[in-house]
Amino acid sequence: GDVLLFTADDGVHGRELWALPPAGTPCVASGTRACLLGDRFAAELVWKDGTAAPARALTDRTAAFSRPGGERFDALIKIVDGTAVNGHHWLFGADLVAEGFELRVTDSANGAVQEIADPPGHLASFGEITAFPSFPPPVVVSTGSVRERPGGGGACTPSLARLCLGGGRFAVQARARDFFGLFHDAIASPIDFGAGDSAFWLFDPAAIELVVRLEIAATDGRVALTVASMTNLGYEISVTDLLSGATATVAAPVGLFRSQATADLFPPLP
């Protein structure tokens, strides 16, 4: 037949029926499956409460997952072709919530599978540079897409290196620090992440590095920042409140995959 059926126990849901397409069958996208790198890789994510995450390929290299019924992207992954460096495809991921998840990525070229289990209670950030050995990919047409992100209103003016969030109230810039101690300005992504969220890239516009989420509390106006990092380069993210003139910066050191959240980035305005 076209599908291999078998039973297996994943250690979480007990023994279940699994369906595995034969190697060489391109990924077919669905509501809970994103296809990356020319439909070679299939990515699926299940939240710790057992619900399958709606999935979407943002580009040919980056996919996002949300909560069922949610309008925001709460977890992201990217796959990078590192064949020229170490003969593997690399897998990176991060999230903007601390709910925990199980990620499954399948290489349709050879049937190889990578599973990442992230426990609840902290923000995920990871990278696996030996995730998938390189094999010739099937020749298919990518289904990834990029949507233009509208510019922010208010006082902030978006640019190549500046994101405008909060209706133009906040200007966000980022830079990365490499392993030689050199800094590189991050580039604002044109991908539409929805209100309050946006992203930066460094080396490839289709491979997101940092996703930022700004939230303003309805009760007292406090500003919270969450960063999902899919890089182990160091980074600095600066946020300027153009109403008050205040600037706040969050940072991560070189060599660590680190997502983070700051509940009180700015106090309420007087």
Side-chain angles (χ1 to χ4, degrees), residues 65-215:
F65 304 91
S66 58
R67 294 289 304 174
E71 298 181 353
R72 284 179 155 179
F73 302 137
D74 290 323
L76 301 101
I77 67 162
K78 67 178 178 182
I79 298 178
V80 176
D81 185 352
T83 303
V85 179
N86 69 346
H88 288 72
H89 284 82
W90 305 350
L91 172 64
F92 301 87
D95 68 0
L96 290 150
V97 294
E99 297 185 16
F101 59 81
E102 295 171 16
L103 170 71
R104 180 183 177 91
V105 181
T106 303
D107 184 350
S108 68
N110 53 67
V113 174
Q114 273 285 332
E115 295 182 331
I116 303 291
D118 185 73
H122 75 100
L123 296 175
S125 180
F126 63 86
E128 299 286 347
I129 65 170
T130 58
F132 297 99
S134 180
F135 288 86
V139 179
V140 291
V141 177
S142 168
T143 57
S145 62
V146 176
R147 293 188 295 165
E148 290 297 320
R149 172 176 38 82
C156 179
T157 301
S159 70
L160 191 65
R162 182 187 304 115
L163 297 171
C164 297
L165 298 177
R169 173 181 168 183
F170 301 100
V172 186
Q173 293 177 281
R175 63 177 185 167
R177 185 175 184 178
D178 64 26
F179 287 84
F180 299 99
L182 302 176
F183 284 94
H184 307 270
D185 289 335
I187 308 301
S189 172
I191 298 174
D192 181 9
F193 279 78
D197 299 356
S198 205
F200 292 97
W201 61 272
L202 291 170
F203 309 109
D204 181 345
I208 297 299
E209 307 287 350
L210 299 165
V211 180
V212 294
R213 170 174 292 177
L214 273 177
E215 297 177 289

Side-chain angles (χ1 to χ4, degrees), residues 10-29:
D10 62 1
V12 178
H13 302 104
R15 183 165 291 276
E16 299 175 300
L17 181 65
W18 290 68
L20 181 65
T25 302
C27 171
V28 177

